Amino acid sequence: TSLPPDRLVYLFSAEKGYLMLPPALRQKHGIETQRVRISVEDACLGPPVVRGILKHLLGYDTVVMNWIIHAKAYLVESVARPDQRHALSSRGGFLYNVRSAELFSLSFASEFLTYTGDAPKLALFKLGVLLTTLFLFFTTTTLVSFTLRETQERMLRFTYHLQHQVRHNLPYGPLVFTHVVESLVFVPIMVGILFFLFEFFNDQLLAFLVLSVVWLCEVYSVVAVRTTLSTRFFPRIFFMYLSLFHIYFFSFPYGFSYLALACCVAFLFHAVTLSWNRWEVPALVSGQITIDRPRMEIPWYGHRQRPTRGRQREVHQPSPTAAAAAAAVSLPLRCSRSLPLASGLAGRWSRHAGAHAT
C-alpha cells in the first residue's frame, strides 16, 4: 500500500528476512510487531529550527538509527541474565525505510557502544580513530597526487610530440594510440583507490565524494598554489579540515556524515578563496609569478646561506640557440611542477628536522 506524503514508516528487526516480509505474512507466521508513533512536531526532535532542518534538509534516518541503537543499549543493560544480555548485544539488527526502500545495517552499533562504555576502551578507540585518519589521509593524497602528476606530465609530453608531428606533416595516429594505451594504466589505479575507500566508508557515495574533494584540492594545489605563503598555508589547512571530518566520521559511525562533509567542503572553499585572493592574485599582479618564474621558492626552515670559499667554479654557458631550444622543451614541464598536499607536509617537516639536526 502507498503511504501518505506526510508519513514515514521505519521497520527494525534483528533479522533481515523479517523486514522483507509483507505485513500479511508476518501476521500469518506469528511475528509480533510493536508500533511506535511519533509526530514530526514532537519536542523530542528538538526546537522548531532543528525540526525544520530535519524535515526539509537532513531527513530522519540518522535520528531514528540513533534512537534504536540507544534504546537497544538500554534494553541490554536492563536484562539481568548474562546469556540474554550477550545474545542481545551481539546482534546489531537492521533498519528499513519503507518509503525509500533503503536498508541500514546496525551491525557495528554494538561494538561501538562497547568501546565507548569503558574509559580504557574509549581511549584505545580514539587512538585507533587518529591512526586510521592519518593513514587514510596520507595514503589517499599520495596516490591521488602521484596519479595527477604522472598524467599531467604525460599529457604535456604528448602535446609537445603532437605539435612536432603536425608541423612536419608526419602521421600522428600511432602517437595518439600510444598515449591512450599509456593513460589507461591509471584507470585501475583510480578504481583501486575507490575500492580502497569503500573498505573504510560503508556508504559508497560518501567515499566517492571524499575522493572527489581530495582530487579537487590536489588540482587546485597543482594549478594555483604558487606563492610561498599559499604553499605553507593550504596543505596544513587541508590536512586539518579533512582530518576533522574523518575523526568525526570514525568516532560517530551513525552520525550526520553528509552534513559534516558539507561543512568540510565549505571551510575548504573558504581556504581556497582566501589563499587565491590574498596571495596568488597580488603575486600575479605585482609580477612575482611570471612565465619565467612560475612558482616561488620555498626556503628551508633554519637554512642559512653559507659563503663560498676559494675559487668559484666556472659555469659553462650554452649558446643562445641551444638555450632557446632547451627552454622551449622544459618550460611546460617546469610550469607543471607542484607541491603535493601530503608530500608537502611531510617534506617540510623532514626539512625542518634536518635543519635543526645540522
Side-chain angles (χ1 to χ4, degrees):
T1 59
S2 60
L3 295 174
D6 58 344
R7 181 176 298 180
L8 292 174
V9 176
Y10 292 91
L11 302 177
F12 171 76
S13 176
E15 300 294 339
K16 182 179 178 180
Y18 292 162
L19 301 177
M20 302 292 103
L21 294 177
L25 284 179
R26 289 200 297 265
Q27 186 177 4
K28 178 181 179 180
H29 293 282
I31 301 175
E32 298 182 359
T33 303
Q34 295 183 358
R35 302 179 182 271
V36 179
R37 295 179 179 271
I38 300 176
S39 174
V40 294
E41 302 297 332
D42 198 283
C44 63
L45 293 174
V49 176
V50 177
R51 293 199 296 265
I53 294 175
L54 290 175
K55 182 177 181 180
H56 301 288
L57 184 61
L58 299 179
Y60 300 96
D61 295 342
T62 305
V63 177
V64 175
M65 278 192 292
N66 285 274
W67 278 351
I68 293 176
I69 290 171
H70 289 85
K72 184 182 176 183
Y74 177 77
L75 179 62
V76 171
E77 292 295 332
S78 62
V79 174
R81 295 176 55 183
D83 54 345
Q84 295 181 354
R85 181 178 302 178
H86 178 72
L88 286 173
S89 61
S90 61
R91 301 166 68 182
F94 298 89
L95 180 68
Y96 180 70
N97 189 341
V98 178
R99 179 178 295 278
S100 62
E102 190 173 1
L103 185 67
F104 303 96
S105 176
L106 307 181
S107 58
F108 186 67
S110 58
E111 184 179 358
F112 171 72
L113 293 175
T114 302
Y115 284 140
T116 57
D118 191 7
K121 293 182 178 180
L122 179 61
L124 291 177
F125 176 74
K126 294 298 184 180
L127 180 61
V129 168
L130 292 177
L131 294 178
T132 304
T133 299
L134 293 176
F135 171 74
L136 195 61
F137 173 82
F138 283 101
T139 303
T140 306
T141 53
T142 302
L143 291 176
V144 171
S145 176
F146 168 76
T147 305
L148 184 62
R149 184 172 62 252
E150 289 294 326
T151 53
Q152 187 183 19
E153 291 181 357
R154 290 173 186 268
M155 179 60 70
L156 291 173
R157 286 197 297 267
F158 168 73
T159 304
Y160 173 75
H161 290 299
L162 183 63
Q163 291 177 354
H164 178 269
Q165 298 291 106
V166 172
R167 288 175 182 176
H168 294 82
N169 294 325
L170 298 175
Y172 53 86
L175 178 64
V176 175
F177 178 77
T178 304
H179 173 71
V180 171
V181 172
E182 291 180 353
S183 299
L184 289 177
V185 177
F186 297 97
V187 176
I189 297 178
M190 295 307 304
V191 174
I193 296 174
L194 197 57
F195 277 93
F196 172 76
L197 291 178
F198 288 167
E199 297 295 327
F200 293 89
F201 297 91
N202 295 327
D203 192 346
Q204 297 183 357
L205 177 60
L206 184 64
F208 176 76
L209 292 177
V210 171
L211 183 61
S212 301
V213 171
V214 175
W215 259 101
L216 292 176
C217 291
E218 287 286 352
V219 170
Y220 173 76
S221 178
V222 169
V223 175
V225 176
R226 298 181 179 275
T227 61
T228 304
L229 292 176
S230 294
T231 307
R232 292 180 179 177
F233 164 78
F234 186 72
R236 296 178 180 179
I237 204 69
F238 173 74
F239 169 73
M240 183 183 70
Y241 286 154
L242 197 64
S243 297
L244 288 177
F245 163 73
H246 283 98
I247 289 173
Y248 172 80
F249 175 79
F250 292 119
S251 299
F252 304 97
Y254 298 99
F256 295 94
S257 302
Y258 286 96
L259 181 61
L261 182 61
C263 294
C264 177
V265 171
F267 280 107
L268 285 174
F269 180 75
H270 171 263
V272 167
T273 54
L274 175 66
S275 63
W276 174 257
N277 293 325
R278 177 162 295 185
W279 297 310
E280 300 298 334
V281 173
L284 291 171
V285 173
S286 62
Q288 297 179 3
I289 302 298
T290 59
I291 297 179
D292 297 329
R293 190 186 181 188
R295 197 175 300 274
M296 296 177 64
E297 296 181 358
I298 305 174
W300 289 10
Y301 293 96
H303 176 71
R304 296 180 180 178
Q305 185 176 3
R306 299 180 179 178
T308 57
R309 298 179 179 178
R311 187 179 61 181
Q312 296 183 355
R313 298 180 179 178
E314 296 182 358
V315 181
H316 174 69
Q317 298 292 338
S319 61
T321 307
V329 175
S330 63
L331 181 59
L333 296 179
R334 183 181 58 182
C335 294
S336 67
R337 290 182 181 178
S338 63
L339 184 66
L341 296 178
S343 60
L345 286 171
R348 279 194 295 275
W349 291 340
S350 62
R351 291 197 299 268
H352 178 68
H356 284 285
T358 57

